[in-house]
Amino acid sequence: MVLTDVMKRWQQLKGRRALLCTGTDEHGMKVQQAAAQAGMEPRPFCDKGAEVFKSLAKKADVSYDHFVRTTDADHREAVEYIWSLLQARGYIYTAKHEGWYSVSDETFYPQSAVHLVLEPRTGRKMMASIETGKEVEWMSELNYHFRLSAFKDRLLEFYKENPAFIVPATRMNDVVRAVSVGLEDLSVSRPVERLSWGIRVPGDDTQTIYVWLDALINYITKAGYPWAPGKENAQGWPAEVHVIGKDIVRYVMFPTIRTSDMSSFHAIYWPAFLLALDLPPPRQLLTHAHWTLGQQKMAKSTGNVVNPFFALDRFEPDIMRYYLAHDGGLADDADYANGFIIERYKKGLQGGLGNLASRLVRGKGWSVRAAVEAAPGAEGDDGPSARQRQHLSGLSSAVDASFGALNPGAALKLIMEAIYESNRYFHASQPWSHVGAPDYATSPASQAVVARALYLTAEALRISGILLQPYMPGKAALLLDMLGVDAGRRMFADARVGVDGGYGKAKTELGRGTEGTLFPPLRSDF
């Protein structure tokens, strides 16, 4: 959610309308069984789970526009409508389906993807998925199928026309190879005696719509589907980007190719459903990597997990947002540890950004406002000042390019590198040594050196503060208040050297010592 929220806020920073949809998939056998184990009916069980995720989003300062629950009435209506449309177009038919089914993975596996194992705790023999280790059971049932095989050529053509559809590109290559081998038709319902918790097939109460067809429809539910004529794009479809997590262990098996389960559902099945409806697929699919803990997969079953509420309470939302964006991987998994958060805090935030802000706005003997008013031009820059100005002049476009490549982590590292460079520049310029000199008041040359150093450092903080708003909304706002930047001058267009000459007088108390600092010392180093 944090990654998606950062991307949404970036678009808003550029003055664009952006909508973020998140939510909970609440149907399926896994939910049905979990509710039974908890001694609850499925609906109140799902109500409880949805509130947990809503609370987490609020605590992490995730500004979603729609929280979609697949039990919502408008979602149910959209699913029923789409099913009827697919059926009317001949894309859905009944057939016998056999295979090894994993309730936990909510996936059918072929024989080549399962093996016989001994359950470690009990010694019981069971069949399990080779990739996930989850138990599977043989199922043979009559249900409805979607003619996925009919969309092989159309999908390949779509991928050819949209080579950047999946990010990172390696996962795009996997999907193309999988579809090229060939596609089997997809089971899209379960008998009601096996799956009762879900949306019934329209006109057939003996079948429940399979959870993935049900869940995928939520992407267009809040875009107003089905649309009135002429209103197809009014609420933002096709989506600019879907953001999903890649699955490091679950796989859908094709004859000779294995491709990530999440990628299959979102990059193969979902576009096929949309093409069958004559609707455009989303423009891009961002699949991010996972977080591990102690280099091991996080899993409730082993207790190898992090409580996000505790982490947010300890480190504050902005700090956690910064860490997750900075260290989180797209292609490769990242390992989570409190020590890593503390390291990032001390180096990048407290020692980098916070230190530079304090040294500038709390400096004795100079005025940031006066330096901004003077706004020294490039014609008087010495070597270090010229390099500082040049670095700042290209910063916003470089950051924007990283966002265009769907890589907010790389964008954040560019901003932080500008902060580190600005710290080095400020330290090398040593404006305090000039201010403390006996002849400073009567030396225009020394005053010019100080004004240039202060101005270019202030510009670094102002530009970085603007660009950091999607990552750390609260801390970035405080930084810009410390600099005295007006609320109306905090957009992407303002993140350029020399475009704002009105700041420099703080809009908040700057305090003394650790009081009022941007990033005060942590309460604990553990």
Side-chain angles (χ1 to χ4, degrees), residues 179-194:
V179 175
S180 297
V181 169
L183 298 172
E184 297 180 357
D185 288 351
L186 185 67
S187 174
V188 288
S189 76
R190 304 295 311 283
V192 70
E193 62 267 19
R194 287 184 170 159

Side-chain angles (χ1 to χ4, degrees), residues 315-337:
F315 293 110
E316 300 182 10
D318 275 1
I319 311 309
M320 287 303 300
R321 288 171 63 97
Y322 172 86
Y323 170 67
L324 293 174
H326 189 281
D327 281 29
L330 295 182
D332 300 315
D333 295 336
D335 200 48
Y336 179 99

Side-chain angles (χ1 to χ4, degrees), residues 82-157:
I82 286 170
W83 178 282
S84 299
L85 197 57
L86 291 173
Q87 195 168 40
R89 294 185 177 191
Y91 292 122
I92 290 180
Y93 65 95
T94 56
K96 186 178 182 181
H97 190 84
E98 292 183 324
W100 294 100
Y101 186 76
S102 166
V103 173
S104 179
D105 297 340
E106 292 182 319
T107 300
F108 274 100
Y109 290 103
Q111 184 67 46
S112 60
V114 300
H115 61 170
L116 183 66
V117 298
L118 291 177
E119 188 179 34
R121 289 178 296 178
T122 65
R124 179 175 63 93
K125 292 183 178 180
M126 68 178 192
M127 296 298 293
S129 162
I130 294 174
E131 298 295 342
T132 70
K134 301 298 184 181
E135 184 172 7
V136 297
E137 56 182 320
W138 182 261
M139 289 191 178
S140 178
E141 57 193 35
L142 186 69
N143 52 29
Y144 289 90
H145 286 65
F146 172 74
R147 298 186 189 278
L148 182 65
S149 58
F151 289 87
K152 173 186 173 182
D153 292 340
R154 290 183 66 183
L155 284 170
L156 290 174
E157 183 64 23

Side-chain angles (χ1 to χ4, degrees), residues 24-228:
T24 46
D25 298 340
E26 299 182 352
H27 291 137
M29 187 176 292
K30 185 160 57 175
V31 174
Q32 179 178 303
Q33 292 186 352
Q37 290 172 1
M40 300 175 66
E41 291 296 318
R43 182 56 195 245
F45 179 80
C46 291
D47 291 342
K48 183 178 179 181
E51 287 307 310
V52 170
F53 279 101
K54 287 181 179 180
S55 298
L56 180 58
K58 182 178 180 180
K59 198 171 188 66
D61 204 7
V62 172
S63 56
Y64 63 80
D65 298 276
H66 300 293
F67 191 94
V68 184
R69 299 181 58 186
T70 55
T71 50
D72 290 341
D74 59 346
H75 174 76
R76 176 184 294 270
E77 291 170 4
V79 172
E80 292 172 342
Y81 175 79
I82 286 170
W83 178 282
S84 299
L85 197 57
L86 291 173
Q87 195 168 40
R89 294 185 177 191
Y91 292 122
I92 290 180
Y93 65 95
T94 56
K96 186 178 182 181
H97 190 84
E98 292 183 324
W100 294 100
Y101 186 76
S102 166
V103 173
S104 179
D105 297 340
E106 292 182 319
T107 300
F108 274 100
Y109 290 103
Q111 184 67 46
S112 60
V114 300
H115 61 170
L116 183 66
V117 298
L118 291 177
E119 188 179 34
R121 289 178 296 178
T122 65
R124 179 175 63 93
K125 292 183 178 180
M126 68 178 192
M127 296 298 293
S129 162
I130 294 174
E131 298 295 342
T132 70
K134 301 298 184 181
E135 184 172 7
V136 297
E137 56 182 320
W138 182 261
M139 289 191 178
S140 178
E141 57 193 35
L142 186 69
N143 52 29
Y144 289 90
H145 286 65
F146 172 74
R147 298 186 189 278
L148 182 65
S149 58
F151 289 87
K152 173 186 173 182
D153 292 340
R154 290 183 66 183
L155 284 170
L156 290 174
E157 183 64 23
F158 172 73
Y159 301 147
K160 183 178 180 180
E161 293 174 354
N162 300 273
F165 175 55
I166 304 173
V167 177
T170 53
R171 296 191 187 116
M172 179 72 177
N173 297 335
D174 290 342
V175 167
V176 171
R177 285 196 297 269
V179 175
S180 297
V181 169
L183 298 172
E184 297 180 357
D185 288 351
L186 185 67
S187 174
V188 288
S189 76
R190 304 295 311 283
V192 70
E193 62 267 19
R194 287 184 170 159
L195 176 61
S196 60
W197 179 240
I199 300 173
R200 295 289 183 272
V201 168
D204 186 355
D205 286 341
T206 69
Q207 293 277 323
T208 302
I209 297 175
Y210 182 55
V211 59
W212 278 102
L213 174 58
D214 166 6
L216 288 168
I217 302 305
N218 85 80
Y219 291 122
I220 54 175
T221 300
K222 292 305 179 184
Y225 188 84
W227 300 291

